[in-house]
Amino acid sequence: MPTLPEVPLLDHNTLGDFLARRFEAQSEKLSDIPHPTLLKDAKKGSERLARAIRNNERIALVGDYDVDGVTSTAIVKRFFDLIPYPLITTIPNRFTDGYGVSKNVLERLDADVIFTVDNGINAIEAAEVCKSRGIDLIITDHHTPADILPDAYAIINPKQLDCPYPFKDICGAQVGWLLMGLLKQELGLTIDMRQFFPFLALAVIADVMPLVGINRAIVKTGLEMMSRSSLSPFVMIRDFLNRSAISSEDVAFQIAPRINSAGRLEDASIALDFLLADTSEKAYHQFELLTSLNTLRKETEAQTTAEAMIRVHTEDTIIVVAGEHWNEGVVGIVASRLVSHFQKPAIVLSLHNGIAKGSGRSIGNVDLYTLIKSQEHLLAKFGGHKMAAGLSMNAENVEIFRREINKIAKNVNPTDFIPLNDIVGELEHEMINFQLLELLERFEPYGEGNPRPRFLIRNADVITVKLFGSDQSHSRIELRPSHISQKTLELIAFRRVLECPEDKKISCSYTVNKNEWNGRVSLQLMIERLF
């Protein structure tokens, strides 16, 4: 069992001081968003698009099938509808096209200018095809560039080494939005670019960008606008959530998975049609489709996780598992489940027609991208960053890849595998009240870079453990934290079946959340991790 961390005893004042220190050195004003001309090639790209519009050229947009990519596509399409100017819009299908702008996708496009959102930084072949066909390719992306860049007309990506844009951790939708802001200037239009903040908030949260600095400012404003927007998709989201205000966690756990499910299981156009819906009927219909796909995604993910668990070599430092015809759209989530269960990095691969394709997730300070790169000679393709990566290889290489990456992993400092301790302290029972909830709300939105505070309960007496939900898959635990007091706390663990320990004692970390239902507000304590 994990060792209990040593953490301080907190009251409301010390917790408030701790949370305030997270933002001491950062500006959170929308006016501090750096000017888009600081993005390398953004001026060049916007001038080319403006020229294409003036000359009545054919313009095509290639997006991506995750939330960031779909939202980027929706922002650009809505912008072009405001001009108005026709825009050929396509999002590759995960299963038939693969990722990003590709030769296969280009065969379907008849255009003079093609530009991408949230993809393209490694599209070497696509750039060559465009060049040979006399098409100007403009790439907008935010993923880490490789050593060799595509030979494109313009590449707009803040992570290029020679790009002076000062805020590097922005998502694909933000890059696309900044380019549209410059295009607006080039065309001398009066479009209010703030109208896109609800979409930007959705993308920033879903793509797990750090909620600090300008990202935090955009998300705060975007969530506020989402709560009162008259646009059909956001009216539908509000009706579904039934909340007076929408939080970043509502988006992360309720909305983003539904939007993602379209690209994971079927086609991202279903999600795009939801974000572009111009009537409540259309938004409702598309959201129903997304909800049913998300239900199927959960079932597929649960089944694949169960199969993957059986195949894990528990002695390995890096888990590598593969299965025939596992759905490519859920392997990344399954990898996260394995990381959570085994407390080790995990790579999950789907085998299909002799090719192994999948995703990896890391833990602590382990640089998974570097570990995967060490086996580059065995791989057909790979990409990503320290905590998450995608890769493909011949199926016959999977076993040797598993052995060799584990050999390399022996050189990693063992302390790097320890999950980062983000428990901020222990709270006295009487501190868990509505005053605490108000304090926590002052520092929203929570997410990457500003995690919701986690607190520790140490050696509490277990009074009852009850299962609930239609399939009895959730747990409700009643605890008495102190022998001195008869007061108890109720904690909830969603999607986890817990049993009462033999000694009837439990230590866990938890978060304090606002539960709003039919106008009634209550505190909800949610178990994060058992010790």
Side-chain angles (χ1 to χ4, degrees), residues 428-430 460-464 478-490:
E428 291 286 3
H429 190 193
E430 60 271 16
D461 293 325
V462 179
I463 309 302
T464 59
E478 188 181 4
L479 300 178
R480 185 179 293 118
S482 166
H483 291 297
I484 302 165
S485 171
Q486 288 302 303
K487 289 182 181 177
T488 62
L489 293 173
E490 184 179 274

Side-chain angles (χ1 to χ4, degrees), residues 185-226:
Q185 285 186 5
E186 290 293 331
L187 295 172
L189 302 173
T190 55
I191 294 169
D192 183 357
M193 298 303 291
R194 290 175 298 181
Q195 66 185 281
F196 299 107
F197 280 162
F199 295 97
L200 290 174
L202 176 58
V204 171
I205 294 165
D207 222 47
V208 201
M209 293 294 105
L211 296 187
V212 297
I214 61 167
N215 284 353
R216 184 170 168 80
I218 287 169
V219 168
K220 279 176 86 168
T221 305
L223 289 173
E224 287 165 8
M225 292 173 67
M226 209 183 284

Side-chain angles (χ1 to χ4, degrees), residues 236-457:
M236 179 64 238
I237 286 171
R238 282 202 304 277
D239 288 350
F240 168 72
L241 291 172
N242 192 22
R243 306 265 169 91
S244 58
I246 298 171
S247 74
S248 55
E249 288 141 322
D250 291 332
V251 171
F253 300 117
Q254 297 287 339
I255 306 306
R258 283 170 165 78
I259 294 172
N260 247 333
S261 66
R264 287 189 187 282
L265 296 187
E266 202 164 309
D267 194 276
S269 60
I270 299 167
L272 180 62
D273 287 346
F274 168 66
L275 292 178
L276 293 177
D278 54 4
T279 66
S280 55
E281 291 79 13
K282 177 72 172 174
Y284 182 87
H285 177 70
Q286 294 305 119
F287 197 77
E288 286 286 287
L289 288 176
L290 292 174
T291 297
S292 60
L293 280 172
N294 193 48
T295 302
L296 179 59
R297 187 269 306 169
K298 287 187 207 172
E299 293 167 0
T300 307
E301 172 204 320
Q303 183 182 338
T304 308
T305 300
E307 292 176 23
M309 295 280 274
I310 298 167
R311 302 178 192 209
V312 170
H313 295 258
T314 52
E315 73 280 3
D316 283 355
T317 308
I318 310 292
I319 292 168
V320 179
V321 289
E324 283 288 343
H325 301 292
W326 284 347
N327 189 299
E328 286 176 30
V330 302
V331 290
I333 308 173
V334 173
S336 295
R337 299 280 180 261
L338 296 182
V339 171
S340 178
H341 184 85
F342 293 99
Q343 299 290 293
K344 297 175 181 179
I347 295 167
V348 180
L349 302 161
S350 171
L351 304 174
H352 187 68
N353 291 338
I355 300 295
K357 196 171 169 187
S359 296
R361 299 290 184 271
S362 195
I363 195 170
N365 275 316
V366 177
D367 189 338
L368 187 62
Y369 178 84
T370 300
L371 285 169
I372 290 172
K373 194 174 192 301
S374 73
Q375 305 307 310
E376 194 172 355
H377 58 287
L378 296 172
L379 305 176
K381 284 167 72 175
F382 74 100
H385 51 81
K386 180 178 176 178
M387 298 306 290
L391 65 163
S392 64
M393 68 187 89
N394 288 330
E396 61 195 28
N397 287 344
V398 171
E399 190 52 34
I400 188 167
F401 172 82
R402 181 185 74 81
R403 290 200 308 268
E404 293 304 311
I405 199 170
N406 272 285
K407 282 182 189 172
I408 297 293
K410 285 178 180 169
N411 299 321
V412 177
N413 189 326
T415 60
D416 286 352
F417 290 88
I418 299 170
L420 300 176
N421 175 24
D422 50 6
I423 297 173
V424 300
E426 289 185 70
L427 287 170
E428 291 286 3
H429 190 193
E430 60 271 16
M431 292 289 168
I432 304 172
N433 53 26
F434 281 100
Q435 188 184 342
L436 172 66
L437 202 57
E438 288 171 11
L439 171 65
L440 293 172
E441 285 183 336
R442 287 213 304 270
F443 295 94
E444 288 186 345
Y446 293 110
E448 183 70 17
N450 180 36
R452 180 173 283 276
R454 290 167 170 81
F455 305 106
L456 181 69
I457 288 180

